Amino acid sequence: MALSSSLLPPLSNNNATSPANRKLFCGGDRGRIYATLTVQPPTEPSKASSLPIKKIPGDYGLPIVGPINDRHDYFYNQGREEFFKSRVQKYKSTVFRVNMPPGPLISSDPNVVVLLDGKSFPTLFDTSKVEKKDVFTGTYTPSLELTGGYRVLSYLDPSEPSHEKLKQLMFKLVSTTRHRVLPEFETSYSNLFDELENELATHGKAKFNEANDQAAFDFLARAWYGVNPEDSELGRTAPSIISKWVLFQLGPILTLGLPKPIEELTLHSFRLPFSLIKKDYKKLYNFFYQNSTDLLEEASKLGISRDEACHNLIFTTCFNSFGGMKIFFPNMIKQIGRAGVNLHRRLAEEIRSAVRSNGGKLTMSAMEQMPLMKSVVYESLRIEPPVPLQFGRAKKDLLIESHDAAYEVKEGEMLFGFQPFATKDPRIFDRAEEFVADRFVGEEGEEKLKHVLWSNGPETQSPTVHNKQCAGKDFVVLISRLLVVQLFLRYDSFGIDVGVSPLGAKITFTSLKRATF
């Protein structure tokens, strides 16, 4: 179903049919994928706060020296979590000033106002207060050569004309291919589990991350573009090409564990030249251009050139979606694995019972009958959101409230939020630092979903062409549920070893106990 304006009913002043209450259906039964089209309410001036107004603590230090010192603390001396935690303790505030990497020589202005609690953090979602133009990666923007010379959707503010057209195209991508999601996920991840079992039988352990990368891209190619990448020029090379391409974009804010002098010179002070991966990126481009005929035609109707549309499809598929699966799936396996066999047993019983009661088939309605499984996915997204860093630039003078105080921010200042602190806010969640599998079960649990913010917006809201919430929000939740379901349809329990990688957990399976009931 195309999400073009011609399909929308006429606007009405009646609240029951107002744009805020209309949803375009993109899924089956209660497991729906929605693309909600709303009209932004008029912007209201910032209201006075009943909380005490305090000066934002912290400072940026001397030019060049201050940003470099903060960069060294962030990457080497303290590490990311301690970097923020130590400053919360120092300033006795969840709102403060600091420099965010990369700083010199890549970023000309690394100064940010940090928002670390669940009350102040959602300011970053309010596009009446913050501008989202060119802030996707923070205080710097990667070379446009990496995206064909175009500012792709993630870097556009909703006020820019191309934003609405490109987001409509992404809604189209998700909605028209929904019928392939369940079968293609089962195919791709059955192959993954077969591979892991063979590796376990041979070596006594099996590495998940690389196998997951391959399964993730195979699934996305099959589900969204109707093609098996192994039958193309890409073969099985896509995951490695994408990883290199992402590194060229995110290198300035990553640490690879290399010696400090090498990382400082190669990643944190200079951009890696696109020429090193130009040929590989061309392979990706050719694959997507050849297999996106209908979407490229739709883009032309929306007024987007085929070339621009293709680069946006690459970014959405490879950076946003594949990247999310690459980071989040291992992190979720880590949380479930560490929770132990009792949770594994409960999940297996719930999942298999729901499938049996639906004629032995896995359907969207069957998954709606798995409250524990759904809660496990939401809790994983809460405790380790796949996109932890969010930015926005103040459109006007603002008064931002934390739980205890209000702070004045000037127009043009960069706001930054480290999401895991906001979603583990002890003023909002009990046992906030713990993985609580059934946290979101029942009415009281579902009420807390408004504080799950992984998608650049609350879980209780939907993406629209007027906001920056992830266009594939419901798709990501669905495939995350599918991973848990496929895992426990096949296995009673599993054992893992957990390491670290630049983008999250590194998972090695030490056992996979086949289903016995």
Side-chain angles (χ1 to χ4, degrees), residues 9 81 190 256 314 427 435 462 468:
E81 299 247 347
S190 290
L256 304 182
I314 294 171
R427 304 277 282 270
F435 179 82
S462 297
K468 289 301 292 181

Side-chain angles (χ1 to χ4, degrees), residues 327-371:
I327 295 169
F328 181 62
F329 279 14
N331 286 346
M332 184 167 64
I333 293 290
K334 176 186 73 176
Q335 297 294 343
I336 297 171
R338 285 178 169 175
V341 294
N342 181 51
L343 174 62
H344 299 177
R345 178 80 181 188
R346 291 168 61 201
L347 284 168
E349 289 174 346
E350 177 185 84
I351 289 166
R352 294 171 199 176
S353 174
V355 170
R356 283 195 294 268
S357 68
N358 282 267
K361 294 182 179 180
L362 177 60
T363 61
M364 301 289 276
S365 59
M367 285 196 289
E368 286 300 316
Q369 298 167 28
M370 304 175 188

Side-chain angles (χ1 to χ4, degrees), residues 10 16 41 51 57 105 108 124 146 161 175 305 324 350 360 376 379 461 489 510:
L51 294 169
L105 300 165
S108 61
L124 292 159
L146 293 160
S175 66
S305 74
E350 177 185 84
V376 162
E379 178 70 342
Q461 294 183 10
L489 283 176
T510 56

Side-chain angles (χ1 to χ4, degrees), residues 1-12 14-26 33-41 158 163-172 175 298 302 461-467 469-471 474:
M1 177 175 63
L3 303 187
S4 61
S5 58
S6 62
L7 292 177
L8 296 177
L11 295 177
S12 167
N14 186 322
N15 288 336
T17 58
S18 68
N21 293 323
R22 279 202 310 273
K23 291 183 176 179
L24 297 181
F25 173 51
C26 303
I33 298 173
Y34 288 114
T36 309
L37 298 177
T38 67
V39 176
Q40 286 289 90
H163 181 275
E164 180 172 351
K165 297 175 183 179
L166 288 168
K167 201 159 187 182
Q168 284 185 353
L169 183 65
M170 299 315 150
F171 287 149
K172 175 81 172 181
S175 66
E298 181 67 22
L302 290 169
Q461 294 183 10
S462 297
T464 79
V465 296
H466 301 291
N467 65 25
Q469 194 160 21
C470 174
D474 296 304

Side-chain angles (χ1 to χ4, degrees), residues 129-360:
K129 295 179 179 179
V130 298
E131 183 182 70
K132 290 288 192 172
K133 182 178 180 180
D134 293 333
V135 299
F136 181 65
T137 46
T139 61
Y140 78 103
T141 52
S143 169
L144 291 182
E145 288 184 296
L146 293 160
T147 49
Y150 299 100
R151 293 172 56 241
V152 293
L153 179 60
S154 292
Y155 289 91
L156 299 178
D157 185 78
S159 64
E160 298 181 77
S162 294
H163 181 275
E164 180 172 351
K165 297 175 183 179
L166 288 168
K167 201 159 187 182
Q168 284 185 353
L169 183 65
M170 299 315 150
F171 287 149
K172 175 81 172 181
L173 169 66
V174 174
S175 66
T176 57
T177 57
R178 63 189 182 274
H179 60 286
R180 292 201 292 255
V181 171
L182 267 66
E184 294 299 355
F185 192 93
E186 181 178 5
T187 295
S188 297
Y189 277 80
S190 290
N191 292 339
L192 174 143
F193 290 130
D194 288 343
E195 182 180 332
L196 293 179
E197 287 181 18
N198 290 336
E199 193 175 343
L200 262 171
T202 304
H203 303 291
K205 58 184 179 180
K207 297 178 180 179
F208 176 73
N209 293 61
E210 290 184 7
N212 175 62
D213 288 355
Q214 190 65 57
F217 187 80
D218 288 351
F219 159 68
L220 291 168
R222 290 169 180 268
W224 280 355
Y225 303 97
V227 61
N228 181 356
E230 293 191 33
D231 297 334
S232 74
E233 179 190 10
L234 281 177
R236 294 175 63 86
T237 64
S240 62
I241 291 174
I242 296 168
S243 295
K244 286 187 289 185
W245 175 66
V246 169
L247 175 64
F248 275 59
Q249 297 173 73
L250 296 185
I253 54 174
L254 294 179
T255 178
L256 304 182
L258 301 173
K260 178 178 173 180
I262 295 176
E263 286 201 340
E264 283 295 283
L265 289 174
T266 58
L267 292 179
H268 302 150
S269 298
F270 303 97
R271 288 181 170 87
L272 298 173
F274 174 65
S275 58
L276 295 177
I277 58 165
K278 184 176 181 178
K279 289 183 179 179
D280 281 341
Y281 185 72
K282 182 64 175 176
K283 288 182 182 179
L284 279 182
Y285 181 90
N286 290 340
F287 175 84
F288 281 88
Y289 198 91
Q290 293 164 7
N291 295 292
S292 305
T293 303
D294 291 343
L295 286 164
L296 297 180
E297 180 63 30
E298 181 67 22
S300 295
K301 293 176 183 177
L302 290 169
I304 308 166
S305 74
R306 290 171 179 264
D307 187 53
E308 182 177 4
C310 187
H311 288 290
N312 272 273
L313 290 171
I314 294 171
F315 198 90
T316 292
T317 306
C318 299
F319 194 109
N320 299 136
S321 303
F322 171 83
M325 295 171 77
K326 178 182 180 70
I327 295 169
F328 181 62
F329 279 14
N331 286 346
M332 184 167 64
I333 293 290
K334 176 186 73 176
Q335 297 294 343
I336 297 171
R338 285 178 169 175
V341 294
N342 181 51
L343 174 62
H344 299 177
R345 178 80 181 188
R346 291 168 61 201
L347 284 168
E349 289 174 346
E350 177 185 84
I351 289 166
R352 294 171 199 176
S353 174
V355 170
R356 283 195 294 268
S357 68
N358 282 267

Side-chain angles (χ1 to χ4, degrees), residues 364-419:
M364 301 289 276
S365 59
M367 285 196 289
E368 286 300 316
Q369 298 167 28
M370 304 175 188
L372 178 61
M373 178 278 293
K374 292 193 293 181
S375 178
V376 162
V377 171
Y378 287 136
E379 178 70 342
S380 299
L381 288 165
R382 178 194 75 87
I383 206 161
E384 285 191 291
V387 183
L389 314 181
Q390 262 127 25
F391 296 83
R393 194 173 294 280
K395 285 184 173 180
K396 56 187 177 182
D397 291 352
L398 299 175
L399 201 60
I400 296 178
E401 294 185 349
S402 68
H403 293 297
D404 302 310
Y407 302 90
E408 292 179 334
V409 171
K410 297 298 182 182
E411 179 182 351
E413 289 196 274
M414 180 74 90
L415 307 178
F416 160 76
F418 183 58
Q419 190 178 144

